[in-house]
């Protein structure tokens, strides 16, 4: 079993007066956070609040670019050419970084959201274009992609790739995550068990197939109604099994 892992959360997904997720309860319990950048969710004030929470709790800050689909929360299918996908990532990263720079907080990683994340799984050209765009950024900005063939492909051209698995999503027999249009509460103990399975190098699909997985970071979703409880139970189980958590870049550095 791995004894060092990053625990990340998708957050910053409120919009104006519409509140989604409890960032104040979730962000302090994770080591990296992916903040929505205004296309699928989020707005400048929400971004600022999320950045401040990450800064104040020593949580690594990442951009969470989505498709331009506020009404559908970025989970509806949309087609982007590879170059368009790369530019969408850079544009939204720049929006988050503008606010983060004013607060003295670095943006350490980029992770596509929802249907955008799905594009990287289904469209190799999109994966290549985004990988190249992130690699061209100054500094050591990481790109977070699904552990397995998607991340492996990106690693062949960009060494700054973090491989991700999910504690609160189901997997199909192909090793792909099953996106929920409307996330409901999930059994925290089941999420913790899946987290431990990932640390052992595997997940079980909804049809019972064992799928190998080698992850650097594991995600929970801040928009799930009981996300704070899921995070708390996962932390308890990790401590019981003597597993330490650290931000993505620290995990990768420790693994060389």
């Amino acid at each position: 079993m791995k004894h060092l892992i990053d625990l990340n959360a998708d957050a910053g997904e409120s919009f104006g007066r519409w509140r989604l997720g409890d960032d104040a309860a979730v962000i302090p319990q994770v080591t990296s956070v992916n903040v929505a950048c205004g296309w699928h969710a989020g707005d400048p004030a929400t971004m600022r609040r999320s950045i401040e929470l990450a800064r104040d709790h020593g949580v690594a800050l990442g951009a969470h670019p989505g498709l331009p689909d506020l009404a559908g929360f970025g989970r509806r299918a949309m087609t982007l050419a590879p170059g368009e996908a790369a530019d969408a990532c850079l544009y939204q990263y720049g929006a988050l970084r503008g606010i983060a720079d004013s607060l003295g907080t670095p943006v350490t990683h980029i992770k596509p959201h929802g249907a955008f994340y799905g594009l990287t799984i289904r469209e190799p050209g999109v994966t290549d274009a985004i990988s190249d765009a992130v690699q061209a950024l100054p500094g050591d900005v990481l790109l977070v992609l699904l552990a397995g063939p998607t991340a492996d492909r990106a690693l062949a051209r960009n060494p700054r790739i973090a491989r991700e698995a999910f504690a609160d999503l189901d997997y199909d027999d192909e090793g792909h995550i099953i996106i929920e249009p409307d996330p409901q509460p999930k059994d925290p103990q089941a999420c913790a068990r899946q987290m431990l399975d990932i640390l052992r190098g595997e997940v079980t699909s909804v049809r019972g197939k064992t799928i190998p997985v080698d992850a650097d970071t594991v995600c929970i979703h801040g928009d799930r109604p009981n996300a704070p409880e899921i995070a708390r139970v996962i932390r308890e189980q990790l401590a019981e099994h003597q597993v330490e958590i650290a931000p993505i870049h620290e995990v990768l550095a420790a693994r060389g």
Side-chain angles (χ1 to χ4, degrees):
M1 176 185 287
K2 292 180 180 178
H3 289 281
L4 180 67
I5 195 75
D6 173 56
L7 181 62
N8 80 76
D10 298 343
E13 294 174 325
S14 296
F15 184 79
R17 295 177 62 185
W18 178 58
R19 292 289 177 260
L20 183 66
D22 187 350
D23 287 3
V26 171
I27 291 177
Q29 299 191 69
V30 300
T31 43
S32 298
V33 63
N34 321 302
V35 175
C37 304
W39 275 23
H40 76 277
D43 57 70
T46 298
M47 291 159 70
R48 176 176 289 274
R49 286 193 295 270
S50 300
I51 294 166
E52 289 172 341
L53 282 168
R55 178 198 61 190
D56 294 347
H57 293 280
V59 173
L61 173 68
H64 199 32
L67 298 178
D69 178 25
L70 279 173
F73 194 64
R75 288 184 171 143
R76 297 187 293 193
M78 184 178 293
T79 300
L80 293 182
E84 292 175 324
D87 288 344
C89 275
L90 295 177
Y91 181 89
Q92 293 174 78
Y93 162 79
L96 185 75
R97 183 172 172 180
I99 300 173
D101 282 355
S102 76
L103 296 171
T105 303
V107 180
T108 64
H109 62 278
I110 298 172
K111 172 190 163 182
H113 162 84
F116 201 173
Y117 196 87
L119 277 178
T120 68
I121 297 170
R122 299 189 308 274
E123 301 290 343
V126 168
T127 300
D128 293 347
I130 292 175
S131 300
D132 292 347
V134 173
Q135 188 174 24
L137 290 171
D140 296 320
V141 180
L142 300 171
L143 176 61
V144 181
L145 295 171
L146 183 66
T150 302
D152 291 347
R153 179 183 180 91
L155 273 166
R157 59 200 299 133
N158 178 357
R160 301 202 308 260
I161 303 298
R163 301 163 297 176
E164 182 179 43
F166 292 79
D168 67 343
L169 290 182
D170 292 328
Y171 282 75
D172 65 21
D173 285 353
E174 302 302 316
H176 297 163
I177 51 174
I178 299 172
I179 302 293
E180 301 166 77
D182 182 21
Q184 298 299 310
K186 203 153 192 176
D187 179 3
Q189 294 295 338
C191 295
R193 287 193 296 272
Q194 183 151 306
M195 178 82 181
L196 295 175
D197 286 344
I198 291 166
L199 292 170
R200 297 185 185 100
E202 63 183 38
V203 291
T204 302
S205 77
V206 290
R207 298 178 62 183
K209 181 180 178 181
T210 299
I211 300 163
V213 62
D214 188 4
D216 307 303
T217 181
V218 179
C219 177
I220 61 172
H221 288 81
D223 64 324
R224 195 174 294 282
N226 64 333
E229 183 183 3
I230 290 171
R232 178 183 60 79
V233 172
I234 286 176
R235 289 287 298 266
E236 290 174 353
Q237 287 295 308
L238 292 178
E240 184 175 322
H241 287 81
Q242 298 181 320
V243 176
E244 297 183 14
I245 59 174
I248 299 174
H249 53 284
E250 293 182 19
V251 172
L252 293 184
R255 293 179 184 170

